[in-house]
Amino acid sequence: MVKTPVVKEGYIYIGTLILITIVTAVAVDPYWAIIPGVLASFVTFFFRNPRRSIPEDDTLVVSPADGRVMGVTEVFEDQFLNATGKKVTIFLSVFDVHVNRSPVAGEIKFQQYTCGRFRPAYKESAGCENERHSIGLENTHMRVLVTQIAGLIARRIVSWVTLGTTLKHGERYGLIKFGSCTEVIVPQAVEILVKKGDRVKGGETIIGRLPT
């Protein structure tokens, strides 16, 4: 995938708003054009696609998203791990980067898209009620399940991968439009290095480590 400053999914929104800005400025009044102009700037900011410094150690789990850690809990995961694991939940506001990154290097052995509701992403029920897309990654060290969850404003989850795709550590694999939540479940043996309230950066912040 070509690494552009703005993901291609944002082009239609940005282009439309720029066109509205120009038409408004010419046909109506330059002052009224400020509103769509500001919206175009915000949408460009929302769909930004920044470069990140990815750790090379495959025993490290990096954050799959930018945002704030909503919680770290122990759960039994019965879709892919089929075992008790540790779940890190990250809330993305509309001001965070919404490109999702692979928390570990590995092959996608599991993939599931689930239709659902659009509750606020910060609600605890969002993870089991909202629209979501999960991928299960496997490498020689561990199995990891990461889930994109749509929020109140988000209405579409975008995935650039499919079953059998091999992802690099921190590689971009999708995004969620306009406010959302991302969950990652790792094996119980992984030491979690973040706590509720911490700010994290996708692909860069180390959220867990597998003892060697």
Side-chain angles (χ1 to χ4, degrees):
M1 183 184 66
V2 178
K3 299 177 180 64
T4 57
V6 176
V7 292
K8 59 183 175 59
E9 284 77 10
Y11 293 171
I12 184 66
Y13 301 101
I14 298 166
T16 300
L17 286 167
I18 289 175
L19 181 60
I20 292 172
T21 301
I22 294 171
V23 171
T24 303
V26 174
V28 183
D29 190 296
Y31 289 105
W32 282 104
I34 293 174
I35 296 173
V38 170
L39 287 174
S41 298
F42 173 75
V43 172
T44 302
F45 172 75
F46 177 86
F47 284 104
R48 65 197 184 280
N49 186 20
R51 294 179 180 273
R52 293 287 162 80
S53 298
I54 313 297
E56 295 182 1
D57 189 344
D58 285 343
T59 64
L60 300 176
V61 180
V62 297
S63 177
D66 286 33
R68 188 176 299 279
V69 176
M70 293 171 58
V72 179
T73 56
E74 187 175 286
V75 297
F76 183 82
E77 201 291 299
D78 60 0
Q79 289 184 301
F80 180 62
L81 274 67
N82 292 310
T84 300
K86 296 173 181 175
K87 180 174 72 174
V88 178
T89 304
I90 301 162
F91 173 70
L92 296 74
S93 76
V94 293
F95 299 105
D96 288 310
V97 174
H98 272 59
V99 174
N100 291 122
R101 292 173 178 266
S102 179
V104 296
E107 182 181 348
I108 298 177
K109 297 282 193 175
F110 170 84
Q111 185 174 30
Q112 184 179 73
Y113 172 79
T114 305
C115 293
R117 305 173 71 176
F118 294 96
R119 290 186 179 277
Y122 56 82
K123 297 283 188 181
E124 289 187 8
S125 60
C128 58
E129 294 185 2
N130 283 18
E131 175 191 0
R132 56 198 181 276
H133 172 248
S134 300
I135 59 172
L137 293 155
E138 183 177 345
N139 59 34
T140 56
H141 300 288
M142 67 183 99
R143 280 183 151 202
V144 172
L145 183 73
V146 58
T147 302
Q148 301 164 286
I149 304 169
L152 180 65
I153 302 174
R155 296 289 166 172
R156 188 176 172 208
I157 294 173
V158 178
S159 175
W160 302 320
V161 297
T162 188
L163 201 64
T165 301
T166 298
L167 293 174
K168 297 177 182 177
H169 208 190
E171 184 176 351
R172 303 166 177 89
Y173 77 90
L175 75 143
I176 321 172
K177 295 180 180 180
F178 302 114
S180 51
C181 175
T182 302
E183 293 179 346
V184 58
I185 302 177
V186 299
Q188 215 171 13
V190 173
E191 177 189 1
I192 301 299
L193 304 176
V194 293
K195 63 184 185 303
K196 184 177 181 179
D198 285 353
R199 291 284 306 176
V200 292
K201 284 187 175 183
E204 196 167 280
T205 302
I206 300 169
I207 64 171
R209 175 176 54 213
L210 189 65
T212 56

